[in-house]
Amino acid sequence: MKMISLRQPHAWAVIFGGKDIENRTSTTNYRGLLAIHASKGGTVEEYEDNYRKLVRKHKLEPPKFSQSQRGGIVCRATSA
């Protein structure tokens, strides 16, 4: 199984917010089962900036930084 690592709150948005696009500089032809990993990286300031963007642009409300799952696989998905 392949895995993609995302910083929070982006991993949360994949699971609960309908985020279905992840822009990366590298490409892949892989399609199939995919583990979503919430990385431990990122500062509180980065998290809060991305949190505000999700609230403002997408009307989503992820958990606060202190309540977010970080440092492990948080779900499985199927890439298309």
Side-chain angles (χ1 to χ4, degrees):
M1 178 186 310
K2 299 283 185 175
M3 177 183 74
I4 187 168
S5 188
L6 303 168
R7 289 186 176 175
Q8 290 289 26
H10 297 290
W12 179 91
V14 167
I15 301 166
F16 300 107
K19 178 176 170 39
D20 59 358
I21 295 174
E22 176 64 19
N23 296 312
R24 302 270 170 140
T25 55
S26 59
T27 60
T28 181
N29 293 324
Y30 178 78
R31 301 296 179 262
L33 198 56
L34 184 69
I36 306 297
H37 175 265
S39 70
K40 276 186 120 170
T43 65
V44 173
E45 291 79 18
E46 289 171 329
Y47 183 93
E48 290 174 354
D49 183 46
N50 289 315
Y51 177 94
R52 285 189 295 273
K53 289 176 186 174
L54 287 172
V55 170
R56 185 176 60 248
K57 290 183 180 180
H58 305 289
K59 309 297 186 242
L60 298 173
E61 193 161 342
K64 299 294 183 185
F65 181 83
S66 62
Q67 298 171 325
S68 66
Q69 294 178 323
R70 298 169 59 234
I73 295 172
V74 292
C75 79
R76 294 183 305 173
T78 302
S79 64

